[in-house]
Amino acid sequence: MKWHTLAVHAGTEPDPLTGAVMVPVYFTSTYAQEAPGVHKGYEYSRTHNPTRTALEVALAQLEGAAYALAFSSGLAASDAVLRLLAPGDHVIASRDLYGGTYRLLRRVFEPWGLQVDFVDTTDPACVEAAFRPTTRLVWVETPSNPLLQVSPIAALADLAHSRGALLVVDNTFATPYLQRPLEMEADIVVHSATKYLGGHSDVVMGALMLNRADLHDKLRFLQNAVGAVPGPMDAFLVLRGVKTLPLRMQKHSENALKIAEFLATHPKVTKVYYPGLLTHPQYLLAKQQMRLPGGMLSFEVKVASVEELEGFWRALQIFTLAESLGGVESLINHPATMTHASIPEEQRLALGITPGLLRLSVGVEDPDDLIEDLKNALSKIS
Ligand SMILES: *Cc1c(COP(=O)(O)O)cnc(C)c1O
């Protein structure tokens, strides 16, 4: 089945009871049993709920995975993956990483006993050098947040497997429509479904997709035993969202490229980070492992402090200043004070997260309006 067909039909069949075309939202916590242990596959909604099952089937199909598991947030999904490890185990993670993933590793799992190194995963040699005898997992975000660095999934999978470690790829920025890490031998794909999978900024959810039955059994156990599961309404919203995933991702990418090209020639912009620009250091790799470069981009303006951006924020009419990303509406974010504030300042600056760095989640509006909005706001920076 081709992509646009799959996105519309994955996980949804007319309801056998009523013929309802959309999967019903099963607002129920429990299920009647004919006799103790005799039931229709559902006992309690932390364990299974039919709306969530439909979503998990759809997500597995979209990612080309044998299994998918839905969680109450992207971080809950990430937490389940890290619980596969034991105290003393070592993790190698991308240096450019979603702030919440960094915080989870540093403030929750390091005190619990994991050892974590943050390295430049765009270069397999840097990853190789970080390996220890206790390394069990390599955690890669590609493209990364907020600097849109692209890491070579297939090469990192080979490397991780040759050392007996798992490769986990956070595929939130790309989505399965643009990038299929499992086909490049990654072991587990992590998503914040809050972003493009949901696609409308109206739900918080996470998901894991994978092929290995043994890992699936452990993660399914954790999903139920820890209990960070999404409710049926949230499952319904994401199930509805993914039907337009390919349409949205095409438009997000098209708009982002136009904006990146505009910003690259703007005199007040010193740097543009977008994998679809020839000047991006991993342009060729992105072209190879992604269908399109996606809807996220970052750029830098020359300011000494965030205060100098006051006129810029105030002038914006269409871009909303907000955390998060991946919805149909365009958002702008200031990583240093917002999404990446949990990373110490010294380290932020070393990474390139400067006071003048701005991250855009380019929506599906008309690109001319978006460019006009940015052009006007940039004129307010002295
Ligand atoms: C948002 C995000 C997460 C965390 O997901 P939540 O749904 O907010 O818990 C993880 N990784 C990336 C790349 C994200 O953008």
Side-chain angles (χ1 to χ4, degrees), residues 31 51 60 140 144 192 252 289 316 329:
Y31 305 81
T51 317
V140 172
S144 67
S192 171
H252 283 301
Q289 72 183 19
L316 287 169
E329 67 291 305

Side-chain angles (χ1 to χ4, degrees), residues 45-69:
S45 280
R46 178 172 12 81
T47 320
H48 293 293
N49 172 283
T51 317
R52 198 177 93 210
T53 303
L55 174 68
E56 289 178 339
V57 168
L59 293 178
Q61 289 180 4
L62 294 180
E63 195 72 61
Y67 310 101
L69 300 109

Side-chain angles (χ1 to χ4, degrees), residues 302-377:
K302 210 185 267 164
V303 291
S305 70
V306 60
E307 285 74 29
E308 289 175 48
L309 290 168
E310 234 164 74
F312 175 82
W313 308 128
R314 234 176 303 132
L316 287 169
Q317 304 262 321
I318 299 173
F319 279 89
T320 303
L321 178 64
E323 303 217 4
S324 200
L325 59 109
V328 289
E329 67 291 305
S330 289
L331 302 179
I332 187 164
N333 160 53
H334 186 250
T337 57
M338 295 168 65
T339 46
H340 292 68
S342 57
I343 298 175
E345 185 184 6
E346 193 181 320
Q347 206 170 331
R348 268 203 317 262
L349 290 173
L351 289 170
I353 305 175
T354 60
L357 184 76
L358 302 166
R359 190 194 74 186
L360 301 182
S361 170
V362 178
V364 298
E365 301 97 331
D366 191 289
D368 294 343
D369 289 332
L370 297 176
I371 288 172
E372 206 44 51
D373 199 32
L374 289 171
K375 192 188 281 178
N376 178 49

Side-chain angles (χ1 to χ4, degrees), residues 73-75 98 101 141 145 170 172-173 192 194-195 205 325:
S73 71
L75 285 177
Y98 175 71
T101 309
E141 196 174 290
N145 186 353
D170 184 331
T172 299
F173 270 31
S192 171
T194 312
K195 317 295 167 56
M205 198 196 289
L325 59 109

Side-chain angles (χ1 to χ4, degrees), residues 81-94 105-106 109-110 112-121 125-140 159-160 163-168:
V81 172
L82 293 168
R83 282 174 195 266
L84 295 172
L85 304 177
D89 286 350
H90 177 239
V91 174
I92 299 171
S94 295
L105 287 163
R106 269 273 133 99
F109 279 96
E110 275 187 346
W112 180 75
L114 287 190
Q115 293 178 316
V116 189
D117 277 319
F118 297 90
V119 309
D120 176 4
T121 53
C126 292
V127 177
E128 184 155 29
F131 264 90
R132 302 181 193 173
T134 52
T135 305
R136 298 280 176 267
L137 194 146
V138 178
W139 187 289
V140 172
L159 178 59
R163 304 298 187 93
L166 297 173
L167 178 69
V168 178

